[in-house]
């Protein structure tokens, strides 16, 4: 067996998607057809949905499926079958739906990641880190994973909750720190977000934008310093940083309302990210002379081949591409993911990493992951594509 990696590697990234697929045009028509929506609201819905860069999303809401099952279980009604009117279930009803739907997705994503990691068994897992901002329950998802997959009862369990879209990158940083402390550590990182549970009709521009973007998904990966299997690809976690932009604290927020969680996502967010992304990346690349020089000379896109930009929306990807001088192919994985599943909050950036590994990256490529959330917080991670 070859020696352990000196630095932790993210491997076996695995995605779980709900079975129900919704076409963006159909959801647009549902929201624009709501009684009481103003003319301005109707125009905003059409603009937001049509310019989103999204073709399809996945949801756990059976009402959006072609065949609405008779047995709803704990799920509340979101759409009136006769009139097409959107209902407004209370936060408790939505959270109960989250508990019923998210739990199995956490377990399944974790199971797939363990199965995909060459030489890793459930008994090897030493730490579980779960991530979610779209619901709450305790004992939590990290407990369900440990119980249902038969992990060691002493496995260390952590949950990062309600941090928003950037939270997967702090989870990976935490996992790398565990591996730095213990070369034998095997850390399971799992994110599940059921964003569509919080959709509701509104004239509010921020909520209209949120309604046009968010979908449901789960993703998991293994972080360890153990050797990769023959031909197995992974992402070596070289370093990570957190930055907060000097403006924008009120432009992105996530609060709990009486009818689900309320997203504030102002139209100023892409511009703020575009103006401050270079400064936010400076701490990440400062210890790598050639990357620091490239950033100073507006050439970071030439020095770093691959990018996993969190597609918070099409305009966010546009601004990052423009501000950093990236080539279209470098943000293609982000656009691929946005087009197919929308913005799935904290799970998105790991899905974009998976897309990079499967379709774009080559061994030895550097990759920078970027994710954005309330604050405005910019999380960044520098990685290298490695293979067994």
């Amino acid at each position: 067996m070859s020696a352990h990696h000196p630095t932790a590697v993210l491997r076996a990234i695995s995605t779980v998607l709900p079975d129900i697929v919704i076409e963006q045009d159909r959801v647009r028509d549902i929201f624009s057809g709501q009684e009481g929506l103003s003319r301005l609201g109707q125009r905003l819905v059409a603009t937001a949905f049509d310019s989103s860069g999204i073709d399809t999303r996945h949801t756990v809401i059976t009402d959006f499926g072609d065949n609405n099952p008779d047995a709803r279980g704990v799920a509340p009604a979101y759409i009136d079958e006769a009139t097409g009117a959107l209902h407004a279930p209370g936060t408790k009803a939505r959270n109960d739906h989250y508990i019923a739907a998210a739990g199995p997705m956490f377990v399944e994503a974790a199971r797939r990641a363990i199965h995909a990691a060459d030489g890793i068994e459930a008994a090897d897992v030493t730490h579980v880190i779960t991530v979610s901002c779209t619901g709450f329950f305790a004992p939590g998802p990290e407990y369900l994973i440990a119980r249902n997959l038969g992990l060691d009862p002493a496995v260390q369990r952590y949950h990062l909750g309600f941090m928003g879209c950037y939270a997967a990158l702090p989870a990976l940083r935490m996992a790398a720190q565990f591996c730095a402390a213990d070369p034998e550590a095997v850390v399971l990182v799992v994110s599940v977000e059921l964003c569509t549970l919080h959709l509701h009709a509104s004239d509010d521009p921020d909520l209209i934008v949120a309604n046009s973007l968010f979908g449901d998904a789960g993703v998991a990966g293994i972080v360890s310093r153990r050797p990769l299997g023959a031909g197995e690809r992974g992402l070596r976690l070289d370093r990570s940083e957190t930055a907060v932009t000097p403006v924008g604290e009120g432009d992105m927020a996530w609060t709990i309302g009486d009818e689900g969680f309320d997203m504030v996502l102002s139209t100023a967010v892409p511009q703020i990210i575009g103006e401050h992304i270079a400064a936010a990346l400076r701490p990440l690349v400062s210890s790598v002379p050639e990357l620091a020089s490239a950033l100073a000379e507006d050439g970071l896109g030439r020095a770093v081949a691959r990018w996993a930009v969190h597609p918070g929306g099409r305009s966010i990807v546009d601004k990052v591409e423009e501000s950093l001088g990236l080539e279209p192919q470098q943000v293609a994985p982000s656009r691929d993911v946005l087009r197919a599943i929308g913005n799935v909050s904290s799970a998105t950036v790991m899905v974009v990493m998976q897309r990079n590994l499967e379709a774009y990256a080559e061994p030895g490529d550097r990759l920078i992951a970027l994710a954005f959330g309330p604050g405005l917080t910019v999380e960044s991670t520098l990685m290298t594509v490695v293979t067994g």
Side-chain angles (χ1 to χ4, degrees), residues 79-96:
I79 303 176
D80 187 283
E81 190 174 352
T83 67
L86 284 165
H87 294 303
T91 301
K92 181 182 184 305
R94 295 178 195 250
N95 195 66
D96 286 346

Side-chain angles (χ1 to χ4, degrees), residues 95-319:
N95 195 66
D96 286 346
H97 192 179
Y98 172 88
I99 295 169
M105 288 180 64
F106 272 106
V107 173
E108 180 58 24
R111 178 183 289 111
R112 292 185 188 184
I114 293 172
H115 179 74
D118 195 358
I120 299 293
E121 305 291 341
D124 298 320
V125 176
T126 57
H127 303 71
V128 179
I129 304 171
T130 53
V131 182
S132 191
C133 68
T134 47
F136 301 92
F137 61 96
E142 78 292 346
Y143 168 82
L144 291 183
I145 290 168
R147 185 194 67 187
N148 290 355
L149 298 186
L151 305 187
D152 187 322
V155 67
Q156 295 185 34
R157 298 182 283 115
Y158 304 87
H159 181 70
L160 301 185
F162 218 65
M163 293 176 70
C165 293
Y166 67 84
L169 294 188
L172 293 176
R173 178 170 57 241
M174 181 187 296
Q177 290 167 345
F178 290 145
C179 293
D182 178 7
E184 294 296 331
V186 174
V187 187
L188 181 58
V189 177
V190 190
S191 168
V192 172
E193 300 288 13
L194 304 185
C195 308
T196 66
L197 297 185
H198 303 290
L199 300 179
H200 50 271
S202 175
D203 265 341
D204 185 297
D206 291 339
L207 290 177
I208 288 173
V209 171
N211 288 335
S212 74
L213 291 175
F214 286 98
D216 302 344
V219 64
I222 299 289
V223 177
S224 77
R225 292 170 58 185
R226 297 190 180 188
L228 296 171
E232 184 183 4
R233 285 189 176 188
L235 293 166
R236 191 181 69 211
L237 302 172
D238 297 325
R239 58 179 290 119
S240 62
E241 292 288 344
T242 302
V244 178
T245 60
V247 295
E249 182 176 345
D251 289 284
M252 189 184 297
W254 191 224
T255 58
I256 298 176
D258 292 332
E259 297 174 355
F261 300 170
D262 295 328
M263 165 62 78
V264 174
L265 189 63
S266 84
T267 55
V269 168
Q271 185 66 32
I272 294 169
I273 290 173
E275 291 175 357
H276 297 282
I277 189 62
L281 281 171
R282 195 166 294 121
L284 182 75
V285 302
S286 61
S287 65
V288 186
E290 67 268 29
L291 297 187
S293 298
L295 179 64
E297 298 167 3
D298 296 327
L300 191 58
R302 294 188 296 276
V304 178
R306 305 300 169 192
W307 292 76
V309 179
H310 167 62
R314 190 179 74 176
S315 56
I316 289 177
V317 181
D318 291 344
K319 282 296 183 181

Side-chain angles (χ1 to χ4, degrees), residues 20-59:
I20 299 168
V21 180
I22 49 176
E23 302 287 338
Q24 187 75 336
D25 290 351
R26 178 170 177 254
V27 186
R28 177 202 61 204
D29 293 344
I30 290 173
F31 277 90
S32 64
Q34 294 304 299
E35 186 177 350
L37 190 66
S38 67
R39 286 189 176 181
L40 175 60
Q42 290 175 340
R43 289 197 297 270
L44 289 174
V45 168
T47 300
F49 278 76
D50 290 345
S51 63
S52 65
I54 297 169
D55 291 340
T56 55
R57 290 181 274 171
H58 291 249
T59 180

